[in-house]
Amino acid sequence: MDASEHLSGKRLAALSLAALGVVFGDIGTSPLYAIRECFHGEYGIEVSGANVLGVLSLIFWALMLIVSFKYLAMVLRADHDGEGGVLALTTLVKPRKRPLRGPAKVLVILGLFAACLLYGDGMITPAISVLSAVEGLGHITPLFKPYIVHITLVILVSLFLLQRHGTARVGSLFGPVILVWMTALGLLGLVQVVREPSVLIAIDPWHGLQFLIHNRLHGFVVLGAVFLVATGAEAIYADLGHFGRRPIRLTWFLVALPALLLNYFGQGAHLLNHPGDAYHPFYAIVPSWAIIPMVVLATLATIVASQAVITGAFSLTSQAVQLGYLPRLRVTHTSVTHKGQIYVAPVNWVLMACTVGLVLGFRSSSKLAAAYGVAVTASMLVTATLFFVVMRKRWNWSLPVAGLLTALFFTVDFSFFAANMTKILHGAWFPLVIALLVLAVMLTWERGNEILAERAQGLTLPLDRFLADIHADPPTRIPGQAVFLTRSHNIVPMAMVQNLRHNRVLHNEVVFLNIRTEDLPRVPNFEKIELERLGSGIFRIIAHFGYMEEPTVSTVFALCRDQGVTVDPENASFFLGREKLSIGEDPAMARWRANLFLFLSRNGMDPADFFNIPSTQVIEVGARLRV
């Protein structure tokens, strides 16, 4: 049951306003460039009455079918304990307690690839959104035109530099800013629609179909520009865990959708009478006295939209680390009240470098639009595939029902994907390359750790054998507590074996701690800890955390106290294994992947820092391993 269904009126309103700023910022800034790209972009089509009505019809039904029906009505139901997003959807189709093989492994890799595509989206969205807003300065005076790229870069670099300080203080303004923006969009469009109400006949899907039939290949290519109105739809699903279904749906149907449709139809109505304004129809419908405040408001709205996708990239990275697809990275929580407010420095700098590079390389939002869309449409295709599996396997829907729905989603999504693929040589390759690079990193890290676990088996002992050995030949016991982190609950870690072999002593109290990340967003506290007394002062603790949680030893030991076992992190000794890695003569994976794994291992976060272990209490025991 979705908790948002039982919200009070005041709480529902507050959450809906917050959702407006975070969830709909990206899709809400599309009016700045979507219509323009249909008629004035790289593949722009002639501005005629039939073409304007056809494009508006396609826009209307794209928003209805993709956003309203597919995501809001259907996909939002596929939550994973309240969390959404393509990684959450992937964990829903991933079999538990069984190794991945065959179709299941393919589905997981597809889900990871879709997640990786969102990194490309996180680079293009800030670039195209802010650039398109700042281009409005050219409508104030031509004197600004030579400085548009420079101003855009200043705004973007400032945005990325501010990330480490967090957005908690200004985050409360995101909702009001987008509310004012949506209101302005609706009013600007309404004025034009009142002047030319005949434009409303574009709601008839026949106009869109006729447009495609009449314009053939050119009309099909224009679909790539039409799709720009739906970019940001994946963010709606990804932010499900922050707001819940009800606030997101209410905000979309009561505020965002009406405002967007009014503005798109308003731009179309204006073009029917002023076809020469196709070079920037958004600013063409803004009264001359309102240009300056509109440029300022558009810039603020695009900053909010950019912030949402940047934060989304941080969140995605944190989840991937917890699920074991990326090396440990320092995740800084920038707010004590909002769990989603996090900062991941390496991701921030890579995003900034790529975003700045995109602005410098393309230099206009129109050229950038050619690179936009492929990543999102590919991600949507994967979502439709995974959603079909959820309908069949999780919800036990019949094949005809699940098949018909998936066929509808695929028909729409693949049409837009194919149209966007025509732009592959004009920049659309960029997000695909980024996604493939990140996917290669994820799969290499996962495989490398599997190989390491196999290699380390010779340096460990089965737990039952270890207990039998110390019972038969008790070692010297010394005062104190020792905590050994272990990869498996039934294996004695290499650090313990090496320490006992060389020092021949054992602490009075020994804890084997196995910290696991489950395929669940969060694990309730009463289910987090499995504690077993093994005798001779030895304890086994298995700690379960969700992939949306931060695993720390302080949390583990606080919960252990409730079960009668007290471990003092400030006085206990923490033994950690430190593997010195090298590449063997015949590595278990391609040499380039082995080198990549070594690089990632050397630059990953130290386990002591990751699990928040007091640095003065750590003892590292090393071993040499080959990958």
Side-chain angles (χ1 to χ4, degrees):
M1 179 65 72
D2 184 18
S4 66
E5 298 295 329
H6 304 289
L7 292 171
S8 64
K10 189 174 181 180
R11 178 64 178 156
L12 179 60
L15 262 182
S16 298
L17 181 61
L20 185 62
V22 175
V23 180
F24 298 109
D26 187 0
I27 199 170
T29 53
S30 297
L32 284 165
Y33 46 80
I35 291 282
R36 180 195 66 199
E37 292 310 305
C38 293
F39 296 103
H40 190 71
E42 191 81 24
Y43 304 101
I45 202 162
E46 178 192 359
V47 182
S48 66
N51 285 345
V52 168
L53 293 177
V55 165
L56 289 178
S57 182
L58 291 172
I59 287 174
F60 177 84
W61 287 104
L63 290 174
M64 288 296 110
L65 291 174
I66 296 176
V67 185
S68 299
F69 181 61
K70 178 183 175 181
Y71 280 93
L72 272 295
M74 301 304 302
V75 175
L76 238 57
R77 299 182 181 186
D79 68 287
H80 192 191
D81 286 357
E83 295 293 334
V86 69
L87 269 185
L89 191 60
T90 302
T91 57
L92 280 176
V93 304
K94 184 178 177 182
R96 292 187 186 180
K97 312 295 183 184
R98 284 185 294 159
L100 289 176
R101 293 191 184 92
K105 188 168 185 177
V106 172
L107 287 173
V108 170
I109 292 175
L110 275 176
L112 287 177
F113 180 62
C116 295
L117 285 166
L118 297 180
Y119 284 105
D121 186 38
M123 296 168 185
I124 297 176
T125 295
I128 190 173
S129 299
V130 175
L131 191 52
S132 61
V134 175
E135 282 170 348
L137 293 172
H139 289 260
I140 299 173
T141 170
L143 295 175
F144 280 120
K145 285 188 176 180
Y147 307 105
I148 287 174
V149 170
H150 302 83
I151 295 170
T152 300
L153 290 176
V154 168
I155 293 171
L156 288 172
V157 170
S158 300
L159 178 63
F160 283 106
L161 290 177
L162 288 172
Q163 292 303 308
R164 66 188 181 93
H165 300 291
T167 57
R169 292 182 181 177
V170 296
S172 58
L173 298 177
F174 289 175
V177 166
I178 299 299
L179 179 60
V180 174
W181 169 250
M182 291 289 185
T183 303
L185 289 182
L187 290 175
L188 288 172
L190 181 61
V191 170
Q192 301 300 321
V193 170
V194 169
R195 290 175 180 171
E196 189 62 59
S198 62
V199 77
L200 294 174
I201 64 172
I203 293 174
D204 185 348
W206 172 245
H207 290 283
L209 185 60
Q210 201 170 32
F211 171 86
L212 294 174
I213 294 171
H214 177 73
N215 292 289
R216 298 180 183 176
L217 181 60
H218 196 176
F220 175 74
V221 170
V222 171
L223 275 179
V226 169
F227 181 75
L228 293 173
V229 305
T231 54
E234 279 287 332
I236 296 172
Y237 180 41
D239 286 313
L240 174 62
H242 293 116
F243 304 102
R245 281 189 287 270
R246 193 178 175 202
I248 290 175
R249 285 172 174 165
L250 281 176
T251 305
W252 172 251
F253 287 109
L254 296 181
V255 181
L257 180 61
L260 291 172
L261 286 177
L262 279 172
N263 196 267
Y264 288 130
F265 275 71
Q267 291 185 46
H270 181 82
L271 288 180
L272 287 176
N273 298 312
H274 304 87
D277 285 343
Y279 69 99
H280 218 314
F282 175 79
Y283 283 110
I285 66 173
V286 179
S288 56
W289 57 266
I291 285 288
I292 294 178
M294 202 62 202
V295 170
V296 173
L297 180 59
T299 303
L300 290 174
T302 55
I303 289 173
V304 171
S306 302
Q307 180 60 55
V309 295
I310 294 169
T311 302
F314 294 160
S315 180
L316 179 64
T317 302
S318 177
Q319 292 177 40
V321 168
Q322 301 290 17
L323 289 169
Y325 295 118
L326 287 175
R328 299 183 186 103
L329 297 171
R330 186 180 298 279
V331 177
T332 304
H333 292 263
T334 58
S335 171
V336 295
T337 56
H338 296 87
K339 290 184 179 180
Q341 293 289 338
I342 60 175
Y343 170 70
V344 184
V347 176
N348 186 64
W349 303 131
V350 171
L351 286 179
M352 185 180 81
C354 292
T355 301
V356 168
L358 285 168
V359 173
L360 290 173
F362 287 90
R363 305 192 73 81
S364 78
S365 61
S366 186
K367 290 180 180 178
L368 256 174
Y372 209 20
V374 169
V376 185
T377 50
S379 182
M380 287 182 174
L381 281 169
V382 174
T383 297
T385 303
L386 299 179
F387 187 63
F388 170 77
V389 178
V390 170
M391 287 188 287
R392 291 283 293 141
K393 303 296 184 184
R394 287 271 179 164
W395 300 345
N396 297 316
W397 286 17
S398 66
L399 181 60
V401 173
L404 283 173
L405 273 176
T406 305
L408 173 63
F409 297 154
F410 256 84
T411 301
V412 176
D413 293 344
F414 188 79
S415 298
F416 285 117
F417 174 74
N420 275 288
M421 286 300 289
T422 62
K423 304 184 291 186
I424 197 75
L425 297 179
H426 294 268
W429 56 268
F430 177 80
L432 296 178
V433 169
I434 293 294
L436 288 171
L437 288 174
V438 178
L439 181 64
V441 169
M442 287 186 175
L443 295 180
T444 297
W445 180 252
E446 183 188 36
R447 177 61 185 143
N449 278 305
E450 289 174 356
I451 294 169
L452 270 191
E454 294 168 4
R455 297 280 195 268
Q457 282 183 356
L459 300 173
T460 61
L461 281 175
L463 182 58
D464 53 358
R465 178 180 162 187
F466 168 80
L467 294 173
D469 287 349
I470 65 169
H471 181 74
D473 184 16
T476 301
R477 306 299 288 258
I478 60 174
Q481 294 178 317
V483 180
F484 292 84
L485 266 66
T486 174
R487 284 195 176 100
S488 174
H489 71 283
N490 56 5
I491 295 293
V492 176
M494 175 266 296
M496 165 61 90
V497 175
Q498 298 286 73
N499 180 62
L500 195 57
R501 179 179 299 161
H502 295 286
N503 296 324
R504 303 183 186 280
V505 296
L506 202 63
H507 287 73
N508 284 337
E509 289 189 353
V510 175
V511 174
F512 292 124
L513 176 58
N514 176 218
I515 299 179
R516 300 179 180 179
T517 299
E518 304 294 341
D519 289 336
L520 295 168
R522 293 178 181 84
V523 176
N525 281 346
F526 64 87
E527 295 179 4
K528 266 190 172 67
I529 302 299
E530 290 182 57
L531 192 152
E532 187 177 354
R533 293 167 173 83
L534 303 175
S536 302
I538 300 174
F539 304 88
R540 175 167 59 187
I541 299 173
I542 304 174
H544 304 269
F545 287 87
Y547 58 79
M548 296 290 290
E549 296 181 294
E550 183 180 6
T552 63
V553 295
S554 56
T555 302
V556 173
F557 295 142
L559 293 171
C560 285
R561 280 197 295 270
D562 298 335
Q563 299 190 32
V565 174
T566 301
V567 179
D568 182 5
E570 298 298 326
N571 293 307
S573 297
F574 289 84
F575 287 80
L576 304 179
R578 170 70 73 177
E579 298 98 348
K580 186 172 179 59
L581 307 178
S582 60
I583 300 176
E585 296 267 334
D586 185 22
M589 54 184 171
R591 191 165 288 273
W592 69 268
R593 293 185 73 192
N595 278 297
L596 174 59
F597 180 72
L598 259 63
F599 173 79
L600 295 172
S601 298
R602 290 165 185 160
N603 289 276
M605 190 176 174
D606 188 271
D609 292 331
F610 187 76
F611 294 116
N612 199 24
I613 300 172
S615 57
T616 56
Q617 307 303 117
V618 174
I619 300 169
E620 293 186 343
V621 180
R624 297 182 67 89
L625 294 174
R626 294 181 183 272
V627 293

